Each structure stands twice: as structure tokens, then as C-alpha cells.
Amino acid sequence: MTIRAYRDADLGAVIDLWRACDLIRPWNPPAHDIAFCRSSGHGELFVAEAEGRIVGTVMAGHDGHRGWIYYVGVDPARRRDGLGTALMAHAESWLARQGVLKVQLLIRETNTAVAAFYERLGYAVEPRLVMAKRLDRGDGQKNA
Ligand SMILES: CC(C)(COP(=O)(O)OP(=O)(O)OC[C@H]1O[C@@H](n2cnc3c(N)ncnc32)[C@H](O)[C@@H]1OP(=O)(O)O)[C@@H](O)C(=O)NCCC(=O)NCCS
């Protein structure tokens, strides 16, 4: 298994994996998210490849202050084998090399069981209220 930067040819396989991992939401079109991240100059999408197949992903980036992690997903058939841990370590090393001192991530309230995974990696829940607003809609509708 190798972890490497995403390439254009990976798009279909990454979308399939994200679908299998329930990481896709209609308001986050994958191709747009990936292109925006890669063109930002401060973000990367990494993929884990085994036997020519994409079996995991992690997106990492920073906003000039904190590092952020998104799209952590492992092929359901390959879970609990250290792959998620390896992807997170890869993303954290990349962020540290960019000068990031602290990394954060969001967990949907329907997916709180995954907190155990991050806690094993040294993450802790911090008491913050996340507020958000969409800039692509005129109606101020809350994002989901
Ligand atoms: C979360 C996810 C990436 C973990 O990947 P993984 O390759 O199975 O993780 P690892 O094998 O490195 O797990 C390391 C440790 O984390 C913990 N862990 C992993 N998955 C867990 C789960 N579902 N529930 C509780 N603890 C879990 C365990 O302690 C595990 O060690 P163990 O297998 O020795 O008990 C994977 O379950 C996944 O793709 N989930 C769906 C997508 C998702 O929810 N992503 C996160 C969005 S915030």
C-alpha cells in the first residue's frame, strides 16, 4: 500500500470510494471540492493505493491559521487494518511541513462513533460552537 497525491485519473475511483464511505453530500460536489483544494496552493488530497486500487483518502489543507482534515475514508473491506491511521499520519506530516501548529476536523452529529478513531490518534473534543453560512446562496439558508 502506498499513499500518494491524487491524480486527475483517480476521480472516478475516489468518488466511488467516497460513496461507499457515505462521505458525499449534494451540496459538496466531489469534482469541485477536489479541484478547489488542489488549486488553492495550501491543500492536498492524498490517496492510498493497493494493488492498483484506491482504498483510502484524506484531504488536508490550511487557511493560514489552522490545519483542517476532510474526506477521511477507507474502503469498507479494508477497515481496522491501520489504513485510516496511516492516512491521518500522512496528512498530519504534510500539514506540519506547511508550518501548521494545530489541526482540526469536523464530525457530523450522525457519525459520532468515529470519534473513537480520532481519539486513538490523539484528538480531543473541544467545546466550540461551529457557526457557518453559505456564500453561494442568496437566501442565507443554513448549510447541512
Ligand atoms: C474512520 C475510518 C477512516 C477508520 O479507518 P480504519 O482504516 O478502519 O482505521 P484504523 O484501522 O487505522 O483504526 C485505528 C483504531 O481506531 C479505532 N477505530 C477505527 N474505526 C473505529 C470505529 N468504527 N469505531 C470505533 N473505533 C474505531 C480503533 O481503536 C482502531 O484500532 P483497532 O482496530 O486496533 O481497534 C473508516 O472507518 C471509515 O472510512 N469510515 C467511514 C468514513 C468516515 O466516517 N470518515 C470520517 C468522517 S469525520
Side-chain angles (χ1 to χ4, degrees):
M1 192 276 295
T2 53
I3 298 177
R4 61 165 173 81
Y6 170 95
R7 300 178 197 131
D8 290 338
D10 298 326
L11 181 62
V14 166
I15 291 175
D16 286 348
L17 178 77
W18 287 358
R19 204 167 278 134
C21 292
D22 192 26
L23 290 174
I24 295 183
R25 296 295 177 273
W27 50 89
N28 293 329
H32 172 272
D33 276 13
I34 294 169
F36 191 44
C37 168
R38 295 176 75 215
S39 67
S40 70
H42 41 84
E44 264 302 350
L45 176 62
F46 298 103
V47 301
E49 189 176 41
E51 294 121 36
R53 289 189 55 242
I54 304 293
V55 293
T57 66
V58 60
M59 181 183 279
H62 73 85
D63 53 22
H65 184 50
R66 297 292 184 227
W68 286 93
I69 301 248
Y70 298 96
Y71 286 115
V72 180
V74 168
D75 182 337
R78 291 181 177 256
R79 290 183 188 165
R80 305 304 281 258
D81 196 24
L83 199 42
T85 300
L87 281 159
M88 288 293 294
H90 194 90
E92 287 172 12
S93 306
W94 184 86
L95 285 166
R97 287 198 302 278
Q98 314 304 308
V100 169
L101 302 179
K102 183 177 181 183
V103 60
Q104 305 184 153
L105 54 89
L106 301 169
I107 298 177
R108 290 186 188 284
E109 61 188 358
T110 51
N111 194 25
T112 50
V114 81
F117 166 69
Y118 294 116
E119 280 164 1
R120 263 286 288 267
L121 303 180
Y123 289 73
V125 175
E126 292 194 332
R128 306 282 187 274
L129 202 60
V130 176
M131 297 190 72
K133 178 182 176 181
R134 294 215 61 116
L135 301 179
D136 58 350
R137 294 182 198 150
D139 57 7
Q141 206 180 319
K142 199 177 71 153
N143 62 327

